[in-house]
């Protein structure tokens, strides 16, 4: 039901309210209700979700001031140009898909820090008045100065906001200082002495729905057909929100069609790492997805994202037949070339050893296969073309895979063995709707945690915070009895 009274109905609904649920903005001691600067907060929905019994938390995050490009002294700063070879999220994008844009770098200094220190008492989120948790991996400049007093300066990156605007985003200067202190602090920084603020930085405090109330599909456990995705689940960040949106969207459609839901595991994708963390551990502060959170990160590489996930996209009807066939062709080329390289014999000839000398690696004293030679860090696939006359012409994306898969085969294999062990526990399924309080041998805390999360597998049960090995052993005995 929207404000005007209109009612909409749908078998599935995805809520992606971001920071809008009961959002409250802070600029120094000035506070007001808003979802984002200049936009209304969502109050009715926040109350409605509480009435429905959802457990609601409160977090906060901060944004930097936007300044006018025409008032910045760029020659005083360090320029960072766009990457020559840009990376795209999609394997379908080739080359540059955007115009070059430089970013400029400057730093805070002791004067800046002094002004911030002098005004901290005017910042409710830093002086202890407000208790909601802030984002650890993207702290405000006030927090950086409090937490790292030994640092004499902090980096600031000046990032253009877009092609058609004069606004510059000050990455690294997230703040909810009062407006006058923001201006004063910025004017102490090299290159920003005369900068004009177009929009002041602010902090925003908002409601989240604790994500352990969700299933892996991102559907709420309490209400069938209701999905939640994005910052409303306690995450922060564009990618974190986008991947949840994608998964919730896929699963909402699959549910409506009565088809199999898309649930990935931690060894398959970062999306799965994030969702598993959210639904199993919930959050106490804004969640950011970092490579360090993925235990199988050697397998979750950017270069093999297409090999890992395109088949799922195809299965869900999101990837065309043509694109899928292209992937299969690439896969075949890679496998064939890897096999061929295992058969290519390299003799310790003068030509070979001259090349190896040039590459800074030990000459050969005996015969090896080219695959073995490629495991040396100094030797690359392209550099060995001259000693491999029968090499087929392959696209760069295939040779990149050949090289990575051969060079790191040992590490990859080790990780694959770990994944096998992991999958065993993931595949040990726990029946639905178990009454944990009727089970014997599990601690009271264990029963509470299992009931709250309702793990779907033994693997997930083990990852719930506070669960002990004896809880798991007792759980297994109880499940075996039920089975
Ligand atoms: C100030 C600030 C700065 C940030 N800076 C960065 C950054 O530099 N890098 C980064 O990775 N992440 C950053 N983030 C985080 C990132 O922007 C968010 O985590 C991400 O955009 C969240 O996406 P979302 O789709 O969940 O929500 P949002 O992007 O917030 O979108 C929510 C949408 O829902 C709409 N909405 C809300 N309630 C209702 C309602 N009741 N009815 C209808 N529509 C409604 C809103 O209008 C809005 O369009 C920042 C966040 C904030 C708040």
């Amino acid at each position: 039901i929207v404000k005007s009274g209109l009612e909409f109905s749908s078998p599935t609904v995805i809520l992606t309210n971001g920071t809008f649920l009961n959002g409250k903005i802070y600029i120094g001691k000035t506070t007001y209700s808003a979802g984002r600067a200049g936009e209304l907060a969502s109050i009715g929905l926040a109350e409605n979700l509480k009435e429905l019994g959802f457990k609601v938390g409160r977090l906060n995050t901060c944004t930097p001031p936007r300044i006018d490009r025409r008032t910045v002294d760029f020659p005083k700063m360090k320029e960072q140009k766009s990457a020559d070879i840009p990376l795209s999220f999609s394997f379908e994008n080739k080359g540059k898909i955007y115009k070059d844009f430089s970013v400029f770098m400057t730093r805070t200094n002791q004067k800046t820090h002094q002004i911030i220190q002098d005004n901290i008492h005017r910042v409710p989120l830093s002086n202890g008045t407000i208790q909601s948790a802030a984002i650890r991996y993207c702290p405000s400049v006030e927090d950086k100065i409090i937490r790292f007093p030994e640092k004499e300066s902090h980096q600031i990156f000046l990032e253009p906001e877009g092609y058609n605007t004069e606004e510059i985003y000050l990455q690294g200067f997230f703040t909810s200082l009062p407006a006058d202190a923001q201006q004063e602090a910025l004017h102490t920084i090299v290159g920003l002495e005369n900068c004009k603020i177009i929009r002041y930085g602010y902090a925003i405090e908002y409601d989240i729905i604790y994500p352990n109330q969700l299933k892996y599909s991102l559907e709420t456990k309490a209400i069938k057909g209701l999905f939640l995705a994005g910052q409303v689940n306690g995450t922060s960040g564009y990618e974190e929100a986008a991947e949840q949106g994608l998964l919730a969207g896929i699963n909402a459609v699959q549910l409506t069609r009565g088809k199999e839901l898309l649930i990935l595991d931690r060894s398959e994708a970062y999306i799965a790492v994030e969702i598993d963390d959210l639904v199993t551990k919930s959050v106490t502060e804004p969640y950011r997805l970092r490579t360090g959170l993925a235990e199988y990160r050697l397998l979750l590489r950017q270069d093999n994202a297409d090999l890992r996930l395109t088949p799922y996209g195809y299965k869900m009807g999101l990837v065309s037949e043509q694109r899928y066939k292209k992937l299969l062709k690439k896969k075949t080329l890679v496998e064939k070339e890897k096999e061929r390289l295992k058969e290519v014999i390299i003799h310790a000839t003068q030509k070979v050893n001259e090349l190896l000398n040039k590459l800074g690696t030990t000459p050969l004293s005996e015969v090896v296969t080219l695959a073995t030679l490629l495991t040396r860090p100094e030797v690359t696939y392209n550099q060995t073309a001259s000693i491999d006359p029968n090499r087929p012409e392959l696209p760069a994306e295939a040779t990149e895979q050949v090289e990575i898969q051969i060079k790191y085969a040992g590490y990859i294999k080790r990780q694959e063995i770990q994944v096998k062990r992991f999958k065993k526990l993931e595949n040990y399924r726990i029946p639905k709707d178990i009454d944990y309080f009727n089970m014997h041998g599990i601690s009271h805390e264990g029963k509470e945690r299992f009931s709250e999360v309702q793990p779907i597998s033994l693997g997930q049960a083990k990852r719930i915070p506070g669960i002990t090995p004896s809880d798991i052993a007792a759980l297994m005995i109880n499940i075996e009895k039920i089975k």
Side-chain angles (χ1 to χ4, degrees):
I1 305 171
V2 296
K3 230 177 193 167
S4 61
L6 278 177
E7 281 186 30
F8 298 88
S9 67
S10 166
T12 50
V13 171
I14 308 172
L15 292 181
T16 60
N17 298 87
T19 52
F20 284 64
L21 293 185
N22 267 331
K24 195 171 176 191
I25 280 184
Y26 293 84
I27 306 179
K29 286 183 177 165
T30 307
T31 72
Y32 56 95
S33 167
R36 217 162 27 196
E39 293 181 66
L40 293 177
S42 181
I43 310 287
L45 187 59
E47 295 314 312
N48 189 223
L49 288 167
K50 275 185 211 161
E51 281 162 19
L52 287 168
F54 285 103
K55 287 191 188 138
V56 173
R58 204 141 169 88
L59 301 177
N60 74 70
T61 184
C62 227
T63 191
R66 303 331 193 251
I67 58 170
D68 188 333
R69 176 204 304 273
R70 293 161 297 194
T71 61
V72 176
D73 202 346
F74 288 109
K76 287 187 178 168
M77 299 181 193
K78 204 169 146 195
E79 183 176 3
Q80 289 190 344
K81 292 187 186 295
S82 299
D84 286 335
I85 306 169
L87 295 172
S88 294
F89 277 116
S90 171
F91 281 69
E92 297 299 288
N93 291 332
K94 304 278 181 233
K96 290 200 176 187
I97 54 165
Y98 55 82
K99 282 188 275 175
D100 281 351
F101 242 142
S102 286
V103 162
F104 290 81
M105 211 184 106
T106 184
R107 302 191 75 95
T108 60
N109 54 53
Q110 287 301 304
K111 272 191 196 159
T112 329
H113 294 194
Q114 193 55 53
I115 291 168
I116 294 171
Q117 287 280 14
D118 293 346
N119 286 282
I120 285 246
H121 66 283
R122 300 166 71 197
V123 179
L125 290 168
S126 294
N127 67 13
T129 320
I130 305 254
Q131 298 297 332
S132 60
I135 178 157
R136 184 186 299 266
Y137 299 100
C138 220
S140 66
V141 67
E142 298 89 277
D143 276 0
K144 284 195 271 196
I145 284 161
I146 295 170
R147 276 163 52 189
F148 310 105
E150 72 286 1
K151 293 262 184 249
E152 288 181 356
S153 81
H154 296 282
Q155 289 180 339
I156 301 175
F157 294 91
L158 278 78
E159 302 176 349
E161 285 251 317
Y163 296 128
N164 305 315
T165 169
E166 300 299 341
E167 285 192 21
I168 300 264
Y169 182 94
L170 293 182
Q171 180 67 264
F173 201 87
F174 302 98
T175 182
S176 62
L177 281 168
D180 59 300
Q182 289 188 29
Q183 183 84 60
E184 200 187 340
L186 285 183
H187 283 177
T188 62
I189 296 170
V190 173
L192 302 182
E193 295 87 347
N194 299 306
C195 78
K196 203 175 132 207
I197 295 179
I198 297 176
R199 289 190 284 153
Y200 287 96
Y202 62 87
I204 182 158
E205 202 188 26
Y206 52 95
D207 285 354
I208 59 144
I209 309 299
Y210 285 119
N212 57 358
Q213 300 168 90
L214 301 172
K215 300 178 187 173
Y216 275 106
S217 59
L218 295 183
E219 186 185 15
T220 60
K221 289 172 188 163
I223 299 178
K224 191 171 167 56
L226 177 65
F227 292 74
L228 302 179
Q231 193 139 359
V232 70
N233 287 338
T235 63
S236 176
Y238 304 138
E239 292 85 356
E240 286 83 350
E243 56 193 39
Q244 289 178 67
L246 174 66
L247 208 100
I250 291 172
N251 283 329
V253 171
Q254 293 293 95
L255 188 73
T256 315
R257 292 180 177 163
K259 287 195 172 165
E260 189 191 343
L261 301 179
L262 179 61
I263 292 168
L264 303 170
D265 75 43
R266 297 179 71 91
S267 68
E268 295 178 293
Y270 275 98
I271 296 186
V273 173
E274 174 181 358
I275 291 176
D276 182 57
D277 283 346
L278 293 176
V279 304
T280 309
K281 300 179 184 161
S282 194
V283 296
T284 50
E285 57 184 73
Y287 176 93
R288 273 253 147 149
L289 184 56
R290 308 176 313 280
T291 47
L293 294 173
E295 49 282 67
Y296 309 115
R297 57 186 170 276
L298 268 183
L299 303 180
L300 304 187
R301 304 185 313 271
Q302 173 186 324
D303 65 82
N304 68 358
D306 58 342
L307 295 167
R308 287 185 283 116
L309 299 172
T310 305
Y312 284 115
Y314 178 65
K315 197 171 159 194
M316 296 291 138
L318 292 168
V319 165
S320 68
E321 183 83 27
Q322 187 197 13
R323 185 167 166 190
Y324 183 55
K325 279 191 174 153
K326 213 168 112 191
L327 176 89
L328 293 182
K329 191 173 162 205
K330 172 178 165 182
K331 220 171 153 179
T332 312
L333 288 178
V334 171
E335 289 309 318
K336 256 173 95 176
E337 181 60 354
K338 272 169 45 191
E339 287 311 307
R340 191 190 70 83
L341 291 169
K342 285 182 199 158
E343 306 289 323
V344 176
I345 304 295
I346 304 291
H347 295 275
T349 61
Q350 194 185 351
K351 184 180 174 188
V352 167
N353 281 340
E354 268 174 20
L355 173 71
L356 296 180
N357 260 333
K358 209 170 104 194
L359 298 177
T361 180
T362 346
L364 288 183
S365 53
E366 54 187 38
V367 164
V368 291
T369 66
L370 188 47
T372 305
L373 198 58
L374 282 172
T375 58
R376 294 190 183 184
E378 303 86 356
V379 182
T380 67
Y381 181 82
N382 285 339
Q383 286 162 340
T384 54
S386 61
I387 55 169
D388 182 18
N390 298 324
R391 179 172 291 187
E393 188 95 6
L394 292 174
E397 54 175 22
T399 59
E400 183 199 33
Q401 270 314 298
V402 169
E403 174 129 37
I404 291 171
Q405 291 186 21
I406 287 189
K407 214 174 243 357
Y408 304 107
Y411 299 103
I412 292 173
K413 201 168 187 143
R414 228 175 293 158
Q415 191 121 96
E416 280 169 352
I417 293 170
Q418 292 167 359
V419 167
K420 241 188 198 159
R421 253 180 268 143
F422 156 80
K423 294 242 187 211
K424 235 183 184 169
L425 291 178
E426 295 307 292
N427 292 334
Y428 190 114
R429 293 285 152 161
I430 299 178
K432 274 185 198 164
D433 305 324
I434 283 189
D435 182 358
Y436 290 98
F437 285 97
N438 267 338
M439 286 187 165
H440 296 291
I442 302 176
S443 67
H444 188 71
E445 186 185 355
K447 287 176 181 176
E448 274 181 3
R449 306 237 167 185
F450 286 145
S451 303
E452 190 178 39
V453 176
Q454 296 166 34
I456 62 166
S457 68
L458 203 61
Q460 189 192 5
K462 273 184 89 170
R463 292 190 292 275
I464 300 173
I467 291 300
T468 63
S470 65
D471 286 333
I472 292 294
L475 177 64
M476 277 175 81
I477 294 169
N478 281 284
I479 293 173
E480 289 306 321
K481 274 192 212 154
I482 300 171
K483 280 182 174 172

